[in-house]
Amino acid sequence: MERFKWSVFCSHLLLVALGALSFYTFDRAYYGTTILLGMLIVALLIIVLKRQFSIYDVFMDFVESTRHRDFTRFYVTSKRDKTKRKIHEAFNQINATFKEISVSKELQYQYLNQIVNMLDTAIFTYYPDKDKVIWMNEAFRILFDIPYVGKFSSLKKRNNELFETISSLNIGQQHIEAVSSSKGKVKLLMQLSELQTQEGRCQIVVFQNVNEAIDETETRAWQKLLRVLTHEIMNSIAPISSLAETMSVQLERKQLTEDLEDIRVGVDTIKNRSEGLLKFAKSYRTINKIDKPQLQDIAVSEMFETIYQLLEPTFIQKNIEVDLILKPTRMRLHADANLIEQVLINLILNAMEAVKDAPSPYISISAIERSGRVQLSVTDNGVGMDTELMENIFTPFFTTRKSGSGVGLTLSKQIMLIHRGNILVESKLGKGSTFSLQF
């Protein structure tokens, strides 16, 4: 660079000297010499300007490539002009440094992107003031079945409930709400945070599915309670039932007076109620007896066929139209065949009860595989349920049927939980219900 400075200085000094000399020769009337000096000045000026313009072009080319973040440009360093070679070498070093920084940042971005996409927690980021979505991870796409949205307002068309929920969140506060997702209604723990970037105000929403955690916690609590109740009820009622039965047998052997007849009726009532309480207590044991499933590879089509053959006479008798749907048809499931069949049969029997007054009773039993996960569903066009009823149907011993024990759905949920899955319900009053088994 020092050489370039001296070269520029000497060139300008020479031009000044030649200019002064030409004025001198012109003043002395040496016109021939003046013309020669003028031509020499013009030639030297052209050489100086050409060199400076050439260097200026190199600088502008570098500035333009930098502006467009193009660091792949390579400048030839085999020039005879040492000054230009030095400039080219400097630009090549700068480009190499920028390229290294760019590659490093890209690798870091890909690394962080891969880590965040591996999380089960759904993340959604956007600019609220610009109506622009910045990024959403794979967990968010799967949870809400939204492959891509460019604008935050576009989310309203995809999932209006989710759009309204995000819009109502307060910064820094945690909020739990049941939201519609690809898995049906799930309880989500949501939190909104905000940060300031160069492009403006950025908001980050984190969604954590707490449905399974809540279900497991509730199940453990119910199991502890049921074990205590089972023990206490069985220990208290068993001797009463046994004594009442003994007294009833003895009274039957005797000729009863009117007073003894009243006693016998009372004893029989105690005996019947005791047996009812014992039967009720055994229902607790039914819920608690499931421990570990016997997992095996099941052909879903064969399981559906077995269940259909078992219930086909009832379908025909009650004039219920039934569809079996499998996508793909050769789907397989790793589960306890007996337990899953028990769950499906229970759901189908509930569906049959729900459609008994429907003008055209219909039940569909379907199996769909999405992203490597199997979902079995039982759908009916029966009476449906309201929100309050849906919140209580998995509670032990809750039932709306006179002859029901209230154990079936609780048992079904526990079976799904020990399979590391879940059972979800979607229903509209008067339009039917869908129970889905998520594996």
Side-chain angles (χ1 to χ4, degrees), residues 299-326 337 340-349 352 361-366 377-379:
V300 179
S301 59
E302 292 179 8
M303 182 171 64
F304 277 13
E305 188 64 31
T306 300
I307 294 171
Y308 182 80
Q309 288 176 359
L310 177 67
L311 298 175
E312 185 179 16
T314 310
F315 292 144
I316 295 172
Q317 180 187 355
K318 296 188 176 183
N319 196 32
I320 300 173
E321 182 184 353
V322 179
D323 275 340
L324 300 179
I325 304 168
L326 285 93
I340 299 304
E341 282 182 13
Q342 183 179 344
V343 173
L344 287 172
I345 290 171
N346 181 58
L347 294 179
I348 294 168
L349 291 176
M352 291 167 65
Y362 171 79
I363 297 173
S364 74
I365 310 164
S366 63
S377 299
V378 176
T379 302

